[in-house]
């Protein structure tokens, strides 16, 4: 038997006395969010966490902007998928906004029953290359291939600060692999950059990376909301 939940409006299979699984998972998300070690927010740097608490709660315009964009990026349809490319001047708060957006999308995935382990969703391009280079050490157990597979398969990834890389052949090869494989597997990715896509293409001299981003992403010139 299928009924519609009076609280959230979703339809679900039920037996007499069963509670809505979506409402149950939303309460579970709130419980997990209050446990520092288990929350997505706890994986972000302290400065980001402080900014999220101060500027991204239900009464702020910033939060409403996150909800509007999340509605475009993530819908309750298995075949629906979009990424986003955020660009704008330094200091506008792109990274904090990206983290708030990631948190909202992961919450929605969780409520729909897409369980995921706690992981680190935010990687600057610098972090990405550093992690890969460390894998070449004999002291590190995880190989370059293992790390790439992990980042390619997480449900959502923030690739922060595109354009700071030097543009070496190795960097472009690794970055293209990440962008291309996440696009091919329909994984939502949030990209941030100080450059528009046109200027990014000039900066990194790699049209293939920019083309992959453009083919799957909503492009947004981000400015801070005071």
């Amino acid at each position: 038997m299928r009924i519609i939940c009076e609280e959230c409006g979703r339809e679900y299979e039920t037996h007499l006395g069963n509670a809505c699984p979506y409402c149950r998972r939303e309460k579970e998300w709130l419980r997990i969010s209050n446990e520092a070690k288990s929350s997505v927010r706890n994986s972000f740097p302290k400065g980001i966490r402080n900014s999220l608490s101060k500027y991204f709660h239900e009464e702020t315009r910033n939060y409403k902007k996150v909800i509007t964009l999340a509605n475009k990026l993530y819908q309750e349809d298995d075949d629906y998928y979009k990424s986003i490319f955020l660009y704008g001047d330094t200091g506008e708060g792109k990274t904090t906004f990206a983290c708030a957006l990631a948190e909202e999308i992961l919450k929605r995935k969780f409520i729909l029953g897409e369980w995921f382990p706690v992981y680190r969703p935010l990687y600057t391009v610098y972090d990405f290359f550093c992690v890969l280079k460390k894998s070449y050490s004999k002291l590190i157990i995880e190989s370059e291939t293992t790390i790439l597979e992990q980042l390619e398969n997480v449900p959502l990834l923030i690739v922060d600060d595109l354009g700071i890389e030097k543009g070496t052949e190795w960097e472009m090869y690794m970055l293209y692999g990440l962008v291309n494989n996440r696009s091919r597997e329909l994984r939502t990715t949030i990209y941030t950059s100080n450059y528009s896509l046109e200027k990014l293409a000039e900066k990194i001299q790699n049209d293939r990376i920019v083309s992959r981003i453009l083919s799957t992403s909503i492009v947004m010139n981000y400015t801070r909301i005071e």
Side-chain angles (χ1 to χ4, degrees):
M1 177 180 177
R2 297 187 68 83
I3 65 172
I4 296 176
C5 175
E6 295 181 358
E7 187 172 344
C8 70
R10 294 184 177 92
E11 187 177 290
Y12 65 96
E13 291 281 352
T14 185
H15 298 289
L16 187 61
N18 281 3
C20 171
Y22 302 108
C23 291
R24 175 177 56 77
R25 284 192 288 264
E26 184 164 9
K27 292 175 182 177
E28 178 68 7
W29 173 270
L30 292 174
R31 183 190 68 78
I32 292 173
S33 297
N34 290 327
E35 296 178 3
K37 291 182 180 180
S38 302
S39 67
V40 171
R41 182 169 295 192
N42 191 60
S43 70
F44 299 140
K46 187 175 182 179
I48 296 289
R49 297 200 303 270
N50 290 343
S51 293
L52 288 173
S53 299
K54 186 175 181 179
Y55 299 113
F56 290 87
H57 51 81
E58 292 185 1
E59 297 179 0
T60 64
R61 292 170 61 196
N62 289 303
Y63 180 76
K64 291 175 182 177
K65 191 172 184 178
V66 166
I67 296 300
T68 299
L69 193 52
N71 290 338
K72 293 181 180 179
L73 288 177
Y74 188 75
Q75 298 177 7
E76 296 180 13
D77 182 341
D78 290 339
D79 296 327
Y80 187 87
Y81 146 82
K82 269 291 181 184
S83 289
I84 183 166
F85 179 83
L86 297 168
Y87 72 97
D89 294 336
T90 302
E92 288 292 332
K94 297 183 295 297
T95 303
T96 303
F97 183 82
C99 290
L101 182 59
E103 193 173 41
E104 176 63 25
I105 293 174
L106 288 172
K107 171 187 172 182
R108 296 184 184 196
K109 287 177 175 286
F110 182 85
I111 290 172
L112 290 179
E114 298 182 37
W115 173 255
F116 52 90
V118 174
Y119 71 97
R120 173 186 173 186
L122 171 63
Y123 278 81
T124 65
V125 171
Y126 174 79
D127 292 337
F128 172 59
F129 293 139
C130 283
V131 169
L132 290 178
K133 287 177 180 178
K134 285 181 181 178
S135 70
Y136 302 147
S137 169
K138 293 180 180 179
L139 300 176
I140 303 298
I141 297 175
E142 290 184 314
S143 67
E144 172 194 279
T145 302
T146 300
I147 293 171
L148 282 171
E149 287 178 350
Q150 290 173 349
L151 293 178
E152 287 165 3
N153 290 312
V154 293
L156 184 146
L157 185 68
I158 303 170
V159 179
D160 192 38
D161 264 348
L162 275 171
I164 66 166
E165 57 275 14
K166 295 179 180 179
T168 66
E169 184 178 348
W170 177 82
E171 287 178 342
M172 294 300 98
Y173 179 77
M174 292 299 170
L175 189 57
Y176 175 78
L178 179 67
V179 171
N180 183 58
N181 289 335
R182 288 191 62 80
S183 172
R184 188 172 58 191
E185 294 299 322
L186 306 183
R187 307 289 188 193
T188 298
T189 310
I190 302 173
Y191 304 98
T192 75
S193 178
N194 293 338
Y195 303 92
S196 67
L197 280 174
E198 293 79 8
K199 290 184 179 179
L200 181 64
E202 295 175 6
K203 174 75 168 49
I204 65 175
Q205 294 293 303
N206 193 303
D207 291 336
R208 292 199 304 165
I209 292 174
V210 172
S211 175
R212 289 295 184 276
I213 294 173
L214 184 60
S215 67
T216 57
S217 301
I218 295 171
V219 179
M220 177 179 173
N221 186 352
Y222 182 79
T223 53
R224 183 192 300 274
I225 299 176
E226 300 296 341

